[in-house]
Amino acid sequence: MWKQPWGLKEGFAICIGLFLTGIILQITVGKIDWDLFAFPVNIITLGVFIAGIATMHITAQKVYLFKWMSRYQAAVTAMLGVVAVTVIMGVIRQKPFHVEVLGFESWLGFSQMLSAWPFILLYMWFTMLVGMVTLRRLFPFRLRNIPFLLNHAGLFIAITAAVLGSADMQRLEMTASIGSENPEWRAYNKLGEMKELPLAVKLNEFTIDEYPPKLILIDNETGKALPEGKPANLLLEEDFSVGNLLDWHIVVTQHIPEAASMATEDTLRFVEFHSMGAAYAVYVQAENTRTGEKKEGWISGGSFMFPYKAIRLSNEMSLVMPEREPRRYASDVTIYTEKGEVFESVIEVNKPFKVDGWKIYQLNYDHSKGKWSTISIFELVRDPWLPVVYAGIWMLIAGAVCMFLTAGKTRKEDKK
Amino acid sequence: MSWDNFTIFAIIAVILWIAGAVVAWKSKKELLVYLFTISGLAVFFAFILGMWISLERPPMRTMGETRLWYSFFLPMAGLITYSRWKYKWILSFSTILAIVFICINIFKPEIHNKTLMPALQSPWFAPHVIVYMFAYAMLGAAAIMAIYLLWFKKKDILATEMDLTDNLVYVGLSFMTFGMLFGALWAKEAWGHYWAWDPKETWAAVTWISYLAYIHFRLGKPRQYKTALWIMLISFIFLQMCWYGINYLPSAQGASVHTYNT
């Protein structure tokens, strides 16, 4: 080993060395606190990192290691090293950064892999090699190297910007209520600390469109949907009237999409009720196709005002209507900025609103009230490094297009 | 169209694919190969389209639905390979693999209802899944090739056969890159971040880098065929972890935003 030219063995030795160094650092120094890299530390780190790679590139003819770093043997072993450490991450349940871990778990740090030294050193080595090989192909510049450069420079840019930019990223949660006098400008981070924002949100209206309710069978003892593992259901669309669940033939004779339950002397029945808190109710006749047993009655999923109502079909199972699933939920909001701008918008899942470097996402609502929720929870995200990461991502996409188009054409000459 | 119709569509498609594979193996009538295989693809796609229309959403939410796309893309990947490199056996293999996935769907059906959670209602949904399934099919074809070369071929491996394997991986990997990056762009719109190291994403990174290792190994050591094929097969195992393995992995339970089966 270590006789020139170096090959895969030396590459693996370097990866194992980095891994072990990482373990030692993890035990002695402890996990990396990425918050320390907040601006301007990340810019300085990036400068040093790139300057380091450039220096190694320039001195590559003098130092064998640097020359070797842009060879396939270095690349393949670094990739396998990164794969190995990422597999470890994949098989160990990950915990959030701010959770304190103790003892053996903290020595290795594998349950918080993103701040563990072995992981970071191997990824850094991998990224350095990508940077080195990019520089080697960049000078002298040739047109036919463009696909190569898109792939390699794109990956380098995306990884470095994503990692170093992570400390500058802010993710905050804001709860806005309908009818509150002032727009909301306070939000909370993951640790529950309050942050005041340069923008404010007023919730005018919150709406949920729901899918039609379903009927399912549940086990009376465990409450689990039947048949266990792959529960069956009947979707109660408006024209639905007849269906089968396991041995039961089910006929819906009456639909009341907005209903209230009324307790009479001996039974519970449902009547039309077009107001807040209305529940979906259906009248069902069920017949067991094997035993001929018959049951009938009202079924409702209930709401925050009315209790749910099920039919007990047998000692083993009941017919119930679980909570309806939301098809779409959206908040009608007015947004005010510090500069005095006012925006009207509807924010929904997959349709965030962008303002002043912030993106406002529909995150949640009051589930106990369901579609009558008077609050809406937003996530506000600011990521100043995003354009750089996106530049890298689009370069990689362009590189992949080139790879697809040239598959089977250009590699013959590269092989030598 | 409902899931109950699947068996009949699948049987017709499979018969057509088998016919195409047999003609490819036994005779030189290329036109017939294309005719049979493409008809099979058309029948199978008609079912997918029917599901799409009747579910009022793209049929891509459950594992069963992604298997549907996979069984569709496998014979297509086989046919593309056949048209470019004329391997007479490739259609037989891709058909067998497609049949395996169709059988899983027939004998272990899953619920296929209309509900689609708001997070999945995005223009990125269809391209993200379709592109990934096509990539998986190409890489599946490459894995079949590797198994054939490592254990079934009696004579020495030819350079042209390795070229075919490389090409399948190049095409598969480029589509996998699209799938992964479209996923990142979508995640930013849906969840606020482009990469969150969710278990599925972690395994996607493993799979992607592992295939990169295969490509670079091929370039660095072009004559060590068997080691290269081993790297590729291990990458394909990682791909299975990423696709459905994480559903059974204890460390991923309840931690992934990528499970939509219930």
Side-chain angles (χ1 to χ4, degrees), chain A residues 7-8 72-73 75-76 78-80 82-83 86-87 89-94 114 119 123 126 152 155 158 161-163 169 171 211-212 214 230-233 235 237 325-329 348-352 359 361-362 379 381-383 385-386 389-390 392-394 396-398 400-401 403-409 411-412 414-416, chain B residues 56-57 61 84-85 107-111 113-122 124 134 159 163 166-167 169-171 173-175 177-178 181-182 184-194 196-197 199 202-203 205-206 208-210 212-224 231 238 241 249-255 262:
Chain A
L8 295 172
Y72 290 119
Q73 284 78 0
V76 169
M79 284 171 200
L80 294 177
V82 162
V83 163
T86 315
V87 166
M89 177 179 180
V91 293
I92 293 179
R93 184 174 276 272
Q94 297 297 303
L114 296 178
F119 182 88
Y123 266 86
F126 171 73
H152 291 79
L155 183 61
V163 171
M169 182 165 161
R171 297 186 78 161
Y211 282 105
K214 289 180 288 198
K230 45 172 183 180
N233 67 65
L235 195 67
E237 291 178 280
E325 290 178 53
R327 185 197 297 267
R328 167 180 179 268
Y329 46 102
E348 57 182 291
V349 178
N350 267 312
K351 287 176 191 156
K359 275 194 177 189
Y361 296 84
Q362 176 69 58
E379 182 172 39
V381 181
R382 203 179 105 86
D383 186 0
W385 292 63
L386 186 68
V389 177
Y390 271 20
I393 287 181
W394 283 107
L396 274 170
I397 291 176
V401 172
M403 182 158 84
F404 172 65
L405 294 178
T406 58
K409 285 180 191 154
R411 272 164 306 114
K412 298 253 153 52
D414 285 357
K415 269 182 189 165
K416 275 285 124 179
Chain B
E56 296 163 28
R57 63 170 177 82
R61 196 195 72 197
R84 269 178 93 163
W85 294 285
F107 298 115
K108 267 191 68 118
E110 291 176 49
I111 47 161
N113 62 38
K114 285 185 181 176
T115 58
L116 185 65
M117 35 297 277
L120 292 185
Q121 296 169 20
S122 160
W124 288 109
F134 183 73
D163 279 346
D166 290 350
N167 291 332
V169 173
Y170 271 80
V171 173
L173 186 65
S174 56
F175 274 79
T177 309
F178 297 142
L181 297 177
F182 291 172
L185 297 173
W186 176 14
K188 181 69 197 171
E189 293 307 297
W191 291 297
H193 201 23
Y194 45 84
W197 293 100
T202 304
W203 285 98
V206 167
W208 192 70
I209 300 171
S210 187
L212 286 182
Y214 167 81
I215 283 183
H216 288 79
F217 184 86
R218 286 286 298 138
L219 295 170
K221 299 265 182 199
R223 276 178 200 84
Q224 293 189 17
I231 296 177
F238 290 146
M241 280 302 295
L249 196 69
S251 68
Q253 296 308 309
T262 49

Side-chain angles (χ1 to χ4, degrees), chain A residues 63-139:
Chain A
V63 183
Y64 181 74
L65 170 69
F66 300 161
K67 191 171 153 191
W68 179 80
M69 280 170 76
S70 49
R71 295 239 169 109
Y72 290 119
Q73 284 78 0
V76 169
T77 48
M79 284 171 200
L80 294 177
V82 162
V83 163
V85 79
T86 315
V87 166
I88 298 176
M89 177 179 180
V91 293
I92 293 179
R93 184 174 276 272
Q94 297 297 303
K95 295 177 178 171
F97 307 112
H98 50 83
V99 174
E100 206 56 50
V101 294
L102 298 165
F104 183 69
E105 197 181 353
S106 75
W107 296 344
L108 292 177
F110 290 167
S111 61
Q112 292 174 329
M113 198 54 113
L114 296 178
S115 35
W117 281 99
F119 182 88
I120 289 159
L121 288 182
L122 280 164
Y123 266 86
M124 204 167 93
W125 170 244
F126 171 73
T127 313
M128 255 161 72
L129 301 186
V130 179
M132 292 282 284
V133 82
T134 306
L135 286 181
R136 211 184 76 178
R137 285 279 184 115
L138 194 58
F139 307 110

Side-chain angles (χ1 to χ4, degrees), chain B residues 5-207:
Chain B
N5 306 117
F6 178 61
T7 315
I8 184 74
F9 275 84
I11 288 173
I12 297 170
V14 165
I15 289 172
L16 287 164
W17 289 335
I18 291 175
V22 169
V23 177
W25 193 292
K26 296 277 179 203
S27 77
K28 291 209 160 67
K29 291 175 186 145
E30 275 184 36
L31 193 67
L32 272 182
V33 176
Y34 289 112
L35 195 72
F36 281 131
T37 313
I38 292 173
S39 313
L41 288 169
V43 169
F44 203 84
F45 192 72
F47 176 78
I48 295 181
L49 208 61
M51 284 289 282
W52 195 321
I53 293 164
S54 75
L55 288 172
E56 296 163 28
R57 63 170 177 82
M60 300 171 185
R61 196 195 72 197
T62 66
M63 285 302 293
E65 288 161 8
T66 61
R67 278 197 291 267
L68 206 55
W69 288 93
Y70 195 66
S71 344
F72 172 73
F73 281 128
L74 270 169
M76 187 194 260
L79 192 66
I80 292 171
T81 316
Y82 175 81
S83 74
R84 269 178 93 163
W85 294 285
K86 302 288 175 259
Y87 285 97
K88 58 179 186 175
W89 50 270
I90 187 85
L91 283 171
S92 309
F93 274 99
S94 60
T95 302
I96 289 169
L97 210 58
I99 291 171
V100 169
F101 281 87
I102 286 171
C103 286
I104 298 175
N105 267 356
I106 290 177
F107 298 115
K108 267 191 68 118
E110 291 176 49
I111 47 161
H112 300 271
N113 62 38
K114 285 185 181 176
T115 58
L116 185 65
M117 35 297 277
L120 292 185
Q121 296 169 20
S122 160
W124 288 109
F125 184 31
H128 176 61
V129 178
I130 290 178
V131 158
Y132 251 122
M133 284 303 128
F134 183 73
Y136 287 4
M138 291 309 269
L139 296 170
I144 293 166
M145 187 77 192
I147 291 167
Y148 166 72
L149 293 177
L150 280 175
W151 291 296
F152 290 93
K153 191 162 192 273
K154 300 281 188 305
K155 294 176 197 157
D156 285 343
I157 300 171
L158 301 173
T160 50
E161 287 165 331
M162 287 307 285
D163 279 346
L164 165 69
T165 321
D166 290 350
N167 291 332
L168 289 171
V169 173
Y170 271 80
V171 173
L173 186 65
S174 56
F175 274 79
M176 184 189 268
T177 309
F178 297 142
M180 184 173 74
L181 297 177
F182 291 172
L185 297 173
W186 176 14
K188 181 69 197 171
E189 293 307 297
W191 291 297
H193 201 23
Y194 45 84
W195 193 273
W197 293 100
D198 166 286
K200 193 124 189 162
E201 293 167 7
T202 304
W203 285 98
V206 167
T207 312

